[in-house]
Amino acid sequence: MIFPLIDAHAHLWLRQDTEVEGKKIKTLDNGKSDFMGEVRQMLPPFMIDGRNTAEVFLSNMDYAQVSAAVITQEYIDGLQNDYLFEIQQKYPERFFCCGMIDVRVPGFYAHAEQLIKQGFRAIKIPANRLVTLNGKILLTGEELMRVFKLMEDRGVMLSIDLADGTEQVAEMNEIISAYPALRIAIGHFGMVTRKGWQEQIKLARNEHVMIESGGITWLFNDEFYPFTGAVRAIKEAIELVGIEKLMWGSDYPRTITAITYRMSYDFIIKSNILTYEEKLLYLGKNAEQFYRFVNLPELPYIKNMSE
């Protein structure tokens, strides 16, 4: 492999058993989940027990020659802090795990303090889940701003997925202005297929803000492989903020119900739109520096039986 590969957006869980906006999400069998009243294929069907474990992911990573991954979280999976802290201790050179607080429930500042004291180096906020039919939880609310101040003071980074378009961009600008040393990774490539996505990308014009592309193959699923539209969007983002601000992410495992894990990045390698240097930075070097990975393993290419 000519590129050091780091996945800046992936998920792990032992079981889904939670509720979002009054609707249940619960693990079923054969990779399926009850997702808000509808049965959805949440995992590849060969993951029959519904367990999305680090060991299965490591097998995928080794095969695809991905050296390390950032494990983020989402409310639709439930809080996975206990499992992810265990994984962080077990595989420190392969995983960077984010803790998650539930800002939908007042009193979350104390939980943020506890996660930071425990040793989490990042906290995830699925801000896209805070804009609901029942109202909107402001990112600039008093308790959340206290959390951001705490994170800035302790050197803990923020992983955040924003609502579509410009819905939360003004709030993010206020947060960035108030806490300029807070390191921030914005997910889902700014919800790139939605109107106004470029405004989320432009947030990375601030010194400590990065953009990661977890879910980009999902967002361009109608187009499908080789995701030419996604590559063009990456090129547009380069023009807006520079390649040094962009990182590859797969959104494993949900995206590999449609494609293989290797396919989530090899369309970048095969593209003739991006330069070698752009691929090098986007696929791993930027994330290596931002998340401060060290001692990355070198993984050999394993030939398929079909080759």
Side-chain angles (χ1 to χ4, degrees):
M1 175 58 61
I2 58 175
F3 302 104
L5 300 172
I6 296 176
D7 187 342
H9 187 124
H11 298 271
L12 296 173
W13 63 78
L14 292 180
R15 188 169 186 84
Q16 291 177 313
D17 187 6
T18 190
E19 188 173 297
V20 174
E21 297 178 29
K23 299 177 181 179
K24 293 187 180 299
I25 298 106
K26 191 174 181 65
T27 293
L28 302 175
D29 59 1
N30 299 333
K32 298 187 294 291
S33 288
D34 180 349
F35 184 74
M36 300 182 172
E38 180 184 6
V39 175
R40 300 289 292 273
Q41 195 69 42
M42 189 68 64
L43 300 170
F46 54 79
M47 296 168 73
I48 60 175
D49 61 0
R51 289 165 56 89
N52 172 31
T53 66
E55 287 72 25
V56 172
F57 189 25
L58 281 169
S59 180
N60 274 281
M61 290 168 63
D62 288 351
Y63 169 72
Q65 296 174 275
V66 175
S67 295
V70 178
I71 307 302
T72 184
Q73 296 198 55
E74 231 278 20
Y75 290 146
I76 64 172
D77 302 325
L79 272 67
Q80 303 291 329
N81 294 319
D82 291 343
Y83 180 55
L84 294 191
F85 188 73
E86 175 188 329
I87 294 308
Q88 183 72 83
Q89 307 313 300
K90 191 174 182 180
Y91 306 107
E93 295 177 0
R94 303 299 300 274
F95 294 124
F96 178 106
C97 296
C98 301
M100 185 166 69
I101 56 176
D102 192 345
V103 304
R104 301 166 301 178
V105 181
F108 53 80
Y109 180 86
H111 191 203
E113 280 188 310
Q114 182 264 318
L115 291 176
I116 293 170
K117 184 177 181 180
Q118 185 178 4
F120 280 103
R121 293 173 290 160
I123 289 178
K124 172 63 182 285
I125 297 178
N128 54 315
R129 303 288 176 189
L130 305 182
V131 180
T132 71
L133 295 176
N134 298 322
K136 176 180 177 181
I137 299 172
L138 292 176
L139 295 175
T140 52
E142 188 271 338
E143 189 171 11
L144 253 182
M145 293 295 271
R146 288 177 58 215
V147 170
F148 298 143
K149 172 62 174 170
L150 174 68
M151 292 169 66
E152 182 186 47
D153 289 345
R154 302 289 179 85
V156 173
M157 66 158 291
L158 170 65
S159 172
I160 190 164
D161 302 331
L162 299 178
D164 292 2
T166 62
E167 180 77 27
Q168 294 169 318
V169 168
E171 293 169 73
M172 286 303 301
N173 274 316
E174 186 174 337
I175 292 163
I176 293 164
S177 177
Y179 310 112
L182 177 63
R183 292 187 300 137
I184 302 171
I186 296 172
H188 296 162
F189 216 70
M191 292 302 291
V192 59
T193 55
R194 311 297 196 253
K195 182 180 179 181
W197 68 275
Q198 295 92 339
E199 297 308 307
Q200 291 193 34
I201 302 298
K202 289 177 186 177
L203 291 168
R205 290 175 175 172
N206 294 282
E207 182 179 2
H208 296 295
V209 181
M210 300 285 285
I211 305 292
E212 45 93 340
S213 68
I216 198 169
T217 59
W218 150 61
L219 289 161
F220 283 92
N221 184 66
D222 289 346
E223 175 188 288
F224 207 64
Y225 192 88
F227 305 108
T228 305
V231 179
R232 292 196 186 102
I234 292 167
K235 197 69 175 177
E236 183 175 351
I238 292 171
E239 294 171 358
L240 290 172
V241 297
I243 187 59
E244 297 80 7
K245 289 290 189 169
L246 309 177
M247 303 179 292
W248 165 64
S250 70
D251 211 2
Y252 174 100
R254 281 180 271 269
T255 48
I256 66 165
T257 58
I259 60 175
T260 68
Y261 186 46
R262 188 185 292 273
M263 288 168 69
S264 69
Y265 71 78
D266 74 351
F267 73 96
I268 298 294
I269 290 179
K270 293 173 181 175
S271 169
N272 58 8
I273 298 176
L274 301 173
T275 68
Y276 175 89
E277 183 67 18
E278 288 169 340
K279 295 173 185 179
L280 180 72
L281 294 172
Y282 176 75
L283 289 171
K285 282 296 183 182
N286 289 339
E288 180 180 7
Q289 180 178 5
F290 186 67
Y291 294 101
R292 299 170 183 169
F293 281 105
V294 295
N295 301 321
L296 292 172
E298 294 185 11
L299 302 169
Y301 179 75
I302 306 298
K303 290 181 66 175
N304 292 325
M305 283 298 294
S306 58
E307 291 181 87

